[in-house]
Amino acid sequence: MATDPSRAGADRRTPFRSRQGVRSSVIATGPAMARTAAACYVTGGVLGFLVALVSPVDEIRHDTTLRVIAVVSLGAVIAGVGVGLFGSRLPRSAFFGLVLLSIGLIGFEVWLQRGHPEAIAIASLLVAVSMYAFFFFDWAAGLVAEALIVGLIVVAKLGWDTLPWGVVVVLIGLNLLIALITGSLVRAAAEADVDGLTGLPNRRGFDHLLQEALTDAERTGGPLSVAVVDLDGFTRVNERQGRPEGDRWLRTFARDWVVQAGPGAVMARHGSDDFALLCPGTTCSELTAQLEAFRETQPEFSAGVAAWQVGDTPSLLGSRAEIALYEAKCSGGGRTFSSGDASGESWLMLSSALANGEFTVAYQPIVQSVTGAVTGAEALLRWNRPGSGPVSPVEFIPLAESTGFISTLDHWVLETACREAATWPRNVPAKVTVNVSGRELHQPDYYQQVVDVLIRTGLPPQRLVLEVTESTMEADSPVALDALRRLRADGVRIAIDDFGTGYSSLSRLHHLPADILKIDRSFTASIGPHDAGAPLIAAITGLAHALGLTTVAEGVEHRYQADVLARHGCDENQGWLHGRPDAPALIHAALAAQARRSAVTFEQHTGVR
Ligand code: C2E
Ligand code: CA
Ligand code: CA
């Protein structure tokens, strides 16, 4: 694992290791290695064949020897054609095997031709092998091949007394020179693939590596995913703190991400504050989850993720990730979108609906069980879609949750409801209750967001109730619980919504930062017209009061239900009996009337029975 940041620069040169441990140079792509190996094998084979063909038969080299040479050479030609056609699917180590094989074949032919000048001509083919080894493999692998080549020339000298030392020296010297020049030049050329500031591969280097990874994915069947990442706050840092600080920020980001992404991944710098991540062996959803986990420790970023599909080219795969990034940025940034799921599209649909004013907030009265006086209202979101009419929150809330748009929507509802409630008569102690999704609650700055809304709208905190479900709190996120505790300390009240539908642990309930229990409407619905008692309701209200919580029964549709609830000590009711969710003016007028005639009920005012 690339846990040592100082190794990031070294690893970038050889990000892919073959399983056998042979490392390829940075420009080694499967197709390039295959094409070059094919050309070397075919040329070497043809030359060997021609040498055998034109060699005179003498007492040392009889017919059989020349025939063997011709067959071996033909074999090399056939192997070369095969590598040319199918070689790009071979793993990196197979090409190193071809290097070793070519040294063996040349050595065999030299040995068969020993004593003749043709052997020296064939030995000169080793120069091409030296070049190949140092071009496509790292120094260590190249040196292994070079040691074998030098060893082979020395063995040839030992088995061939009359071979002049001058020829041995020139052959060895030539091979070493070619190895050195090729190795140095290829590494200098690779510098063009590297970003000078971060030491990561640049866009060009990334494209090379992506091409190579795609070839591997095609051979193995994947998976492989790519992410493009944009640092949301970089421009701000650069402008406010200057370029040197911006550069330091980018270097830190690059170093941390290399460590977090792990050893199999390749991180590259695409542009000024754009990065790319290539993760072989990782699915789209795994990479998305990994990036989301980065958010806990990393500066804010937007990301687009795309997974390799059969037939993908680097540019096709890259542009799918870019489109997902574009959608993530259009959605306000700070998000990870993946190509292929509908989240980007749904996000844009919901966001344009909000911008076009298709969302409104309806208010449903909450009344005191005994007196029927309005004590507040729940703010419920409504979506009236042009052309298709009202869409139920049961449909669009889960959609908004899955795309992440819920945070924007909930924030908008909170601001709208607080602004509305701030206009309600002050002499009626009415509260507005607002639903909070789990996602919103887990935002690190949630507490501050609510405080800011209260300050902006002028609503006293005592007039706001936030409704959270048990399951949201079950997540046991210290961030969420801490935000709720701080809000309570400021005077905001917390209600547990839909109580009884989730997993309710009594000891947990005791420790939750809550003030109100909203009894789910399934309990209310179970109260029939002839029921004198409702033991479950009695148990819940008893428990709630023992814990210092007030109770609100949801879904009260009939008078007999309201009567039973009042008898069992339920503090407040909400339901169609008292009023449906409706326009803000209605609740405002009811509260104004109540302010004038202190005991007026909502149903008296609206005429609802
Ligand atoms: P909820 O928080 O339990 O809201 C109460 C739901 O019960 C509302 O449905 C309301 O119209 C309905 N209701 C009220 N009285 C009665 C009744 O007497 N009988 C029956 N059968 N139903 C009644 P709605 O408005 O369709 O909302 C459904 C859910 O959508 C809400 O359930 C809440 O979970 C979610 N939701 C609504 N607005 C928001 C919002 O602004 N943010 C978030 N995060 N969720 C919201
Ligand atoms: Ca609710
Ligand atoms: Ca509810």
Side-chain angles (χ1 to χ4, degrees), residues 364 378-382 392-394 397 406 410 413 435-437 467 497-498 521 554-557 574-576 581:
Q364 183 175 34
E378 177 172 0
L380 290 158
L381 192 54
R382 293 290 174 262
S392 165
V394 179
I397 293 286
I406 193 71
D410 273 359
V413 173
N435 293 284
V436 183
S437 77
E467 293 195 4
D497 203 0
D498 305 339
R521 66 168 175 268
E554 296 185 299
V556 185
E557 295 179 0
Q574 179 182 349
W576 295 346

Side-chain angles (χ1 to χ4, degrees), residues 302-315:
S302 306
V305 180
W308 168 78
Q309 292 166 11
V310 179
D312 261 349
T313 60
S315 63

Side-chain angles (χ1 to χ4, degrees), residues 202-227:
N202 57 20
R203 188 183 278 270
R204 214 181 90 124
F206 185 77
D207 287 348
H208 282 142
L209 296 167
L210 181 57
Q211 174 63 65
E212 184 187 8
L214 288 191
T215 310
D216 278 353
E218 248 153 41
R219 185 167 49 79
T220 59
L224 176 139
S225 296
V226 163

Side-chain angles (χ1 to χ4, degrees), residues 10-203:
D11 279 358
R12 83 198 174 223
R13 293 170 180 272
T14 53
F16 292 104
R17 291 165 192 232
S18 76
R19 281 173 201 90
Q20 284 73 17
V22 177
R23 295 161 128 209
S24 48
S25 77
V26 72
I27 55 138
T29 65
M33 292 172 95
R35 276 196 301 271
T36 317
C40 289
Y41 263 73
V42 170
T43 312
V46 168
L47 291 178
F49 186 74
L50 290 177
V51 166
L53 202 67
V54 298
S55 292
V57 178
D58 53 36
E59 67 280 1
I60 306 173
R61 271 181 320 178
H62 36 79
D63 266 353
T64 321
T65 308
L66 289 179
R67 253 187 245 123
V68 170
I69 292 174
V71 168
V72 169
S73 302
L74 265 181
V77 172
I78 294 167
V81 172
V83 169
L85 290 176
F86 310 109
S88 57
R89 298 185 195 163
L90 291 174
R92 217 68 351 123
S93 54
F95 290 100
F96 196 69
L98 286 176
V99 168
L100 301 182
L101 180 65
S102 64
I103 296 171
L105 287 177
I106 292 171
F108 182 55
E109 291 204 12
V110 168
W111 178 73
L112 287 177
Q113 298 262 31
R114 70 190 179 284
H116 290 82
E118 288 88 340
I120 300 171
I122 289 177
S124 69
L125 290 174
L126 288 168
V127 169
V129 183
S130 290
M131 196 187 289
Y132 187 93
F134 279 85
F135 194 86
F136 288 120
F137 297 96
D138 73 345
W139 287 111
L143 283 173
V144 169
E146 204 53 36
L148 285 174
I149 288 171
V150 171
L152 174 81
I153 296 169
V154 171
V155 169
K157 167 67 190 158
L158 294 178
W160 179 7
D161 276 353
T162 51
L163 181 67
W165 271 108
V167 172
V168 172
V169 170
V170 168
L171 275 178
I172 291 178
L174 203 60
N175 272 286
L176 291 178
L177 181 68
I178 291 294
L180 190 70
I181 291 175
T182 310
S184 308
L185 284 182
V186 79
R187 273 141 194 92
E191 291 300 321
D193 282 3
V194 172
D195 170 56
L197 179 72
T198 58
L200 298 174
N202 57 20
R203 188 183 278 270

Side-chain angles (χ1 to χ4, degrees), residues 508-540:
R508 230 188 104 63
L509 200 57
H510 188 43
H511 292 106
L512 286 179
D515 307 86
I516 299 162
L517 211 60
K518 293 196 78 171
I519 304 168
D520 189 67
R521 66 168 175 268
S522 55
F523 291 100
T524 310
S526 68
I527 305 173
H530 306 295
D531 288 346
L536 268 179
I537 302 273
I540 294 173

Side-chain angles (χ1 to χ4, degrees), residues 428-451:
V428 182
K431 72 217 174 234
V432 65
T433 86
V434 179
N435 293 284
V436 183
S437 77
R439 195 177 173 119
E440 195 190 6
L441 194 59
H442 288 84
Q443 290 180 353
D445 64 341
Y446 181 66
Y447 166 79
Q448 198 52 47
Q449 283 184 33
V450 177
V451 170

